[in-house]
Amino acid sequence: MSDVDGQSAIFLSYAHADKARAQRLAAALEQAGYTVWWDALIEGGSRFTQSIDEALERADAVIVLWSRSAVDSDWVRDEASIARDRRRLVPVSLDGCTPPLGFRQYQTINFAHERGRAQAAEFQSVLRAVEVAINQAPAKPGPVSDAPLSRRMALALAGGATVAAIGGVATWRGDLLSGGRTEGSLAVLGFKNLSGDPSQDYLSAGLTEQVRTALSRVPALKVLAATSSEAGKSAGGPKEIAGKLGVENLLDGSIQRLGERVRVAVTLTDGRTGFAKWSQSLDRQLTDIFAFQSEIARLVAGAMSVQMATDEPVTGGTRNVRAYEEYLKGRALYLAAKDEASDRQAMAHYEVALGADPNFALAHAALSRVLASLAASRADSSELKGLYDRAIDEANKAVQIAPKLAEGQLALGYALFSGRLDMKAARPAYDKAAKFGAGDADILLLYGLFVVRLRRFVEARDTIGRALALDPLNPRTWRAAGMIDLYSGRPREAVPRLDRALALNPSMSNAHALKGYALILLGQWDEARKALDREPTPMFRLAGLAILAGKIADPALAQSSFDELVAEEGDAALYQQAQVLAQSGRSSEALDRLERARIVGDAGLTALATDPFMAPLAKEPRYRALVRSIGFA
């Protein structure tokens, strides 16, 4: 956006408590030759939010004034999120507070020592950052002199201590999704199995993932997640793979088992040139595998001239060869996500692993996840309580053995939330998982889905944005992003994210249905019907069709879809039945279903407080009591 004279326009985002400082900074920027938009400029009688939205979308750069008040403002967070996604963000600190999650990776301009001179380094940093954001200098720069600014302007340009001087405003997420390459970015490609025995593939796959996990603990590295890394392997040579994945570096290797010893060769490749930067071969006993992966991570970090956060081996491991092998076999089956039989076979491998080493925390966490997954998607109502009780027990064992194991904390939070429907009990575990697994896309994904249920919408969108940056080729991550938009009241934004998920995996469960739900909310009936007809999971398809039929006045379709939902799914779909009844105006029957769902432990209730299809029940005392009982309020 430029004004009529060709000047670049800057949007100023701030909290109401900081209005005086915003006004003074606006004056300084105008003196430098920029047009500055802030909400004091809204014309009398104009629609407030529409004016802000239009100015924000058209701005050439967005300066966000972080302060303690701004961090608590949903408006500022939303505006900052849009600026970040458009790669127009220029962050400034007014009082030295830490920016919220999703913005801490950006270096922030420090105004702590500004003394009111136009040539001051801090103000010049703002101007340089704006130039980077808009890729141009101001059209009409004002005169710059050594004369002091006014006292009022000096106050505007002064603030508390902050993070650091300005660096760059290009982001990890933006660079990945736009084809750029972020400094310190790395994709770990699957290690090759050189044993000649395909049954040993689990060993190379397991080592790949454990090395990836160890490297993700290094704050200076941006480590691409497994799904996206593997998706890029077919792109061609190293330069083509790195270009497709948007990373600077590639790590690949091979593993060969020789009895109880393993030989691993690893190579770090420069993605811009295609030439190797560093390579190493190591021989170790299989019993040293968890220390081995940390050693590889340390060597890679050294080759990339970054500092390891810790030299300790990845927490939660084992030195028992049989336990480790059984864990890897179970993990390979679980990640394949084929069917109930493969999940139960994975569970059996985890149980054998724990029989060999009862203190193997990763195996306890993995067993908890598969038990909870079976309960959530494949078990009938009579099995739910037993499966969830076991899942909670296994997760508790994992965190007791290894309190800083992110997978253990995540398993505990998921089992408590989905199994006990206890939001308050689950929250500390989820928060710890997010802390200990900050570089893990899967943990970020599940944390984002958790906090959106808490109505922490901006944080949920920030979190899934970080997950997308680490795993941009994973359909599960895009589906979660669409779900978060849907639950945040943004169905229009949900549709393209779900389209992206389906482009990556056209047959994935629930994505077509979620798109159909969003289109229903947008009133696009024909497109909603097409999406719902493509949904492979009957529970979600039938619920959506029944709701849609009510909107388009097709009572025959509504009744047949609802009857089929009840007949085929029974108590496993109590929540979906309640959605249909709520949308058809049968509130009392909907509440009956929800209360029964609470008794049997239907995990669908985890969406109760943010589900747009439950909106007709919002004022009902029984609904409010149910929401409180789960811990949403």
Side-chain angles (χ1 to χ4, degrees):
M1 176 178 78
S2 299
D3 73 354
V4 292
D5 294 323
Q7 288 177 296
S8 297
I10 299 172
F11 183 101
L12 206 54
S13 175
Y14 64 95
H16 180 74
D18 302 319
K19 183 174 182 179
R21 291 183 177 183
Q23 182 177 12
R24 293 161 189 157
L25 180 56
L29 291 164
E30 287 173 349
Q31 180 183 351
Y34 290 106
T35 296
V36 182
W37 194 101
W38 56 308
D39 59 20
L41 301 178
I42 296 178
E43 304 88 348
S46 73
R47 293 174 59 192
F48 184 77
T49 56
Q50 180 176 340
S51 296
I52 290 178
D53 287 346
E54 291 174 355
L56 186 59
E57 287 297 330
R58 291 159 49 206
D60 297 300
V62 179
I63 298 177
V64 177
L65 303 182
W66 289 120
S67 68
R68 289 173 180 82
S69 298
V71 167
D72 292 334
S73 168
D74 285 342
W75 285 99
V76 175
R77 288 186 181 214
D78 272 345
E79 290 164 359
S81 296
I82 293 170
R84 178 198 59 200
D85 293 348
R86 293 186 59 228
R87 303 180 67 192
R88 293 291 185 266
L89 177 64
V90 178
V92 173
S93 175
L94 294 181
D95 60 9
C97 70
T98 301
L101 286 173
F103 299 95
R104 294 176 186 174
Q105 68 268 44
Y106 303 101
Q107 292 180 300
T108 307
I109 300 172
N110 181 2
F111 271 28
H113 305 296
E114 210 286 322
R115 292 294 180 265
R117 302 180 72 83
Q119 289 282 22
E122 292 80 5
F123 184 59
Q124 293 302 311
S125 290
V126 173
L127 296 181
R128 286 196 301 273
V130 168
E131 290 174 17
V132 171
I134 65 177
N135 198 29
Q136 62 178 0
K140 293 184 177 181
V144 176
S145 72
D146 289 332
L149 301 175
S150 70
R151 177 175 173 79
R152 294 178 66 192
M153 192 174 294
L155 289 172
L157 301 181
T162 189
V163 181
I166 187 69
V169 296
T171 71
W172 164 238
R173 176 170 180 261
D175 282 349
L176 268 179
L177 301 185
S178 65
R181 305 179 200 231
T182 298
E183 183 178 357
S185 56
L186 172 70
V188 181
L189 306 181
F191 285 21
K192 301 176 184 68
N193 169 22
L194 299 184
S195 68
D197 180 1
S199 69
Q200 296 293 312
D201 284 349
Y202 70 87
L203 186 60
S204 55
L207 182 61
T208 302
E209 186 56 30
Q210 295 304 323
V211 169
R212 185 180 287 119
T213 298
L215 287 167
S216 72
R217 299 166 69 201
V218 183
L221 295 180
K222 308 296 187 297
V223 182
L224 204 65
T227 302
S228 294
S229 297
E230 293 304 310
K233 287 175 64 175
S234 61
K239 291 172 65 175
E240 290 76 18
I241 294 172
K244 179 178 179 180
L245 297 178
V247 295
E248 277 194 332
N249 303 280
L250 301 173
L251 182 72
D252 64 357
S254 61
I255 181 168
Q256 185 173 15
R257 181 171 180 174
L258 307 168
E260 295 306 306
R261 294 186 66 82
V262 290
R263 174 172 296 166
V264 174
V266 286
T267 301
L268 181 69
T269 301
D270 186 325
R272 298 181 186 277
T273 66
F275 292 107
K277 289 182 174 180
W278 164 88
S279 63
Q280 183 98 24
S281 294
L282 305 101
D283 286 357
R284 294 292 185 276
Q285 290 289 335
L286 191 57
T287 52
D288 295 332
I289 198 73
F290 281 88
F292 194 13
Q293 69 205 23
S294 293
E295 182 178 359
I296 293 172
R298 189 163 55 252
L299 291 169
V300 173
M304 295 180 67
S305 301
V306 298
Q307 192 71 29
M308 282 286 286
T310 175
D311 287 337
E312 296 177 5
V314 175
T315 187
T318 183
R319 293 179 63 84
N320 184 294
V321 175
R322 187 181 184 199
Y324 184 61
E325 289 186 316
E326 292 294 332
Y327 164 76
L328 291 179
K329 291 174 182 177
R331 182 181 174 279
L333 285 165
Y334 179 65
L335 291 179
K338 290 182 179 178
D339 50 31
E340 181 178 354
S342 66
D343 280 355
R344 291 189 182 275
Q345 189 177 352
M347 183 171 67
H349 283 295
Y350 293 144
E351 288 170 337
V352 173
L354 290 167
D357 183 358
N359 292 316
F360 189 2
L362 269 172
H364 282 294
L367 179 55
S368 175
R369 284 290 298 274
V370 74
L371 286 163
S373 295
L374 284 167
S377 60
R378 307 192 192 280
D380 60 44
S381 58
S382 64
E383 293 182 283
L384 291 179
K385 186 178 185 304
L387 286 169
Y388 277 125
D389 284 349
R390 281 195 64 197
I392 292 168
D393 182 57
E394 293 297 333
N396 273 319
K397 289 176 182 176
V399 300
Q400 287 165 7
I401 297 166
K404 294 185 178 181
L405 179 64
E407 291 89 343
Q409 296 290 352
L410 182 68
L412 180 58
Y414 182 78
L416 287 169
F417 188 29
S418 299
R420 295 271 173 85
L421 297 173
D422 190 340
M423 174 74 76
K424 290 180 180 177
R427 184 170 176 175
Y430 268 104
D431 288 342
K432 289 176 184 176
K435 177 182 177 181
F436 300 137
D440 188 313
D442 188 54
I443 288 171
L444 291 171
L445 182 160
L446 292 169
Y447 183 74
L449 289 173
F450 176 73
V451 296
V452 77
R453 266 82 168 196
L454 290 169
R455 304 185 65 82
R456 286 153 51 183
F457 299 137
V458 174
E459 183 180 356
R461 293 196 295 270
D462 289 344
T463 301
I464 200 64
R466 290 157 59 206
L468 284 169
L470 294 168
D471 209 2
L473 301 180
N474 189 340
R476 289 177 58 250
T477 316
W478 285 103
R479 181 180 62 185
M483 192 180 301
I484 285 170
D485 276 329
L486 186 62
Y487 290 153
S488 300
R490 295 154 57 105
R492 194 172 304 279
E493 290 81 358
V495 172
R497 291 174 181 261
L498 293 165
D499 280 338
R500 178 63 173 151
L502 290 165
L504 292 166
N505 181 1
S507 61
M508 76 181 310
S509 172
N510 204 17
H512 285 292
L514 288 167
K515 179 181 177 182
Y517 299 165
L519 292 167
I520 289 173
L521 294 171
L522 294 170
Q524 298 179 27
W525 315 130
D526 291 342
E527 293 303 311
R529 178 63 186 268
K530 292 176 185 176
L532 291 167
D533 283 341
R534 296 188 185 103
E535 173 56 48
T537 306
M539 181 188 304
F540 304 129
R541 181 181 69 252
L542 294 168
L545 287 173
I547 292 169
L548 175 62
K551 304 292 184 185
I552 62 176
D554 187 341
L557 176 61
Q559 192 63 51
S560 64
S561 298
F562 185 74
D563 289 346
E564 190 176 350
L565 177 66
V566 174
E568 290 196 8
E569 304 296 333
D571 280 1
L574 285 169
Y575 184 82
Q576 285 72 26
Q577 295 166 33
Q579 286 179 307
V580 177
L581 292 166
Q583 286 293 301
S584 61
R586 296 154 68 180
S587 296
S588 180
E589 293 177 71
L591 289 163
D592 289 343
R593 293 293 209 290
L594 289 174
E595 288 168 350
R596 204 160 93 219
R598 182 75 168 97
I599 293 169
V600 303
D602 188 334
L605 288 167
T606 57
L608 183 63
T610 51
D611 186 346
F613 290 149
M614 294 298 182
L617 307 179
K619 295 182 179 180
E620 295 284 347
R622 290 166 64 193
Y623 172 84
R624 292 180 175 180
L626 191 57
V627 166
R628 285 194 299 272
S629 76
I630 298 173
F632 288 113

